[in-house]
């Protein structure tokens, strides 16, 4: 039989073991809780960063697409402005239009005049020119439609159309086009 004292010692040991187990479990739960919280916070931060990177990727791909569009437009602008000292490709296109529309034409070009504006380190110049075109009303209309779609920067300051013959400009017509072409000068 146990004496009262032995009973209290045995109960005290069990109580001490139980309290120690509770304290150890509480500490373990507290540590695990902190780890779970830090893992949760880390996952939230990683998800936020992933969303930011995704948006940044979309933004960068949009910028790349915009730069490609601008780059192509910049290239077309440069191609639409021939060098002042070589406008032969422009003249060749005008001759091609005349051949396609069955008209006779003659050119008269002035000298380059600097504008003071710059494009890609080159100064923009204008060259005044006039074209005299002979044909009939239908060929002149076709010529002017194709002239309008030239791949060069050119402005028309005036068009004079005159007709001749008994049926007016339906039979024979002459057009004089006064215009400017914008070129790039190395000067």
């Amino acid at each position: 039989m146990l004496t009262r004292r032995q009973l209290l010692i045995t109960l005290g040991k069990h109580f001490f073991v139980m309290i120690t187990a509770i304290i150890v479990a509480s500490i373990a739960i507290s540590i695990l809780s902190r780890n779970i919280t830090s893992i949760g916070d880390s996952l939230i931060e990683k998800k936020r960063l992933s969303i930011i990177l995704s948006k940044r990727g979309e933004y960068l791909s949009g910028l790349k697409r915009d730069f490609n569009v601008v780059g192509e437009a910049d290239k077309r602008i440069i191609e639409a402005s021939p060098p002042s000292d070589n406008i032969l490709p422009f003249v060749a296109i005008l001759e091609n239009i005349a051949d396609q529309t069955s008209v006779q034409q003659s050119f008269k070009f002035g000298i380059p005049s600097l504008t003071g504006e710059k494009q890609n380190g080159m100064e923009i110049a204008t060259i005044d020119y006039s074209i005299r075109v002979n044909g009939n009303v239908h060929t002149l209309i076709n010529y002017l439609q194709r002239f309008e779609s030239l791949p060069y920067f050119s402005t028309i300051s005036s068009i004079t159309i005159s007709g001749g013959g008994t049926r007016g400009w339906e039979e024979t017509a002459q057009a004089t086009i006064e215009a400017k072409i914008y070129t790039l000068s190395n000067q």
Side-chain angles (χ1 to χ4, degrees):
M1 267 238 146
L2 292 173
T3 62
R4 189 172 189 187
R5 183 182 160 146
Q6 289 177 334
L7 181 63
L8 287 175
I9 291 176
T10 306
L11 283 176
K13 285 181 184 178
H14 288 298
F15 183 71
F16 177 74
V17 168
M18 186 173 63
I19 294 293
T20 305
I22 290 173
I23 291 173
V24 169
S26 296
I27 291 172
I29 289 172
S30 174
I31 291 171
L32 290 175
S33 173
R34 283 189 206 132
N35 285 345
I36 290 172
T37 302
S38 69
I39 289 171
D41 291 344
S42 173
L43 287 175
I44 290 170
E45 181 67 17
K46 287 178 182 178
K47 186 172 184 173
R48 187 181 68 79
L49 290 175
S50 173
I51 291 170
I52 289 172
L53 284 175
S54 172
K55 287 182 181 178
R56 183 176 290 163
E58 291 171 11
Y59 177 73
L60 289 176
S61 67
L63 278 177
K64 183 178 178 183
R65 185 175 51 252
D66 292 346
F67 280 129
N68 286 339
V69 168
V70 169
E72 291 170 9
D74 206 22
K75 182 180 174 186
R76 287 190 309 207
I77 288 172
I78 291 171
E79 289 173 356
S81 303
S84 295
D85 58 355
N86 184 14
I87 59 170
L88 290 178
F90 175 70
V91 173
I93 287 179
L94 290 176
E95 289 176 346
N96 188 24
I97 291 173
D99 289 342
Q100 290 175 351
T101 57
S102 303
V103 298
Q104 296 175 347
Q105 69 180 353
S106 60
F107 310 107
K108 182 178 164 186
F109 286 93
I111 59 171
S113 172
L114 299 176
T115 63
E117 300 290 324
K118 292 202 179 227
Q119 172 70 27
N120 291 337
M122 300 178 79
E123 192 161 359
I124 298 174
T126 60
I127 300 175
D128 292 327
Y129 66 96
S130 65
I131 304 172
R132 176 169 262 161
V133 182
N134 295 314
N136 62 38
V137 66
H138 303 292
T139 57
L140 287 180
I141 289 172
N142 287 337
Y143 181 87
L144 291 173
Q145 284 175 339
R146 291 179 187 220
F147 183 87
E148 185 180 33
S149 64
L150 284 172
Y152 292 100
F153 289 126
S154 183
T155 59
I156 297 174
S157 54
S158 72
I159 298 177
T160 307
I161 300 176
S162 58
T166 56
R167 293 179 32 205
W169 74 319
E170 289 181 3
E171 188 176 314
T172 59
Q174 184 180 59
T176 303
I177 302 169
E178 301 289 334
K180 289 182 182 186
I181 182 169
Y182 292 88
T183 61
L184 296 177
S185 175
N186 289 329
Q187 299 175 355

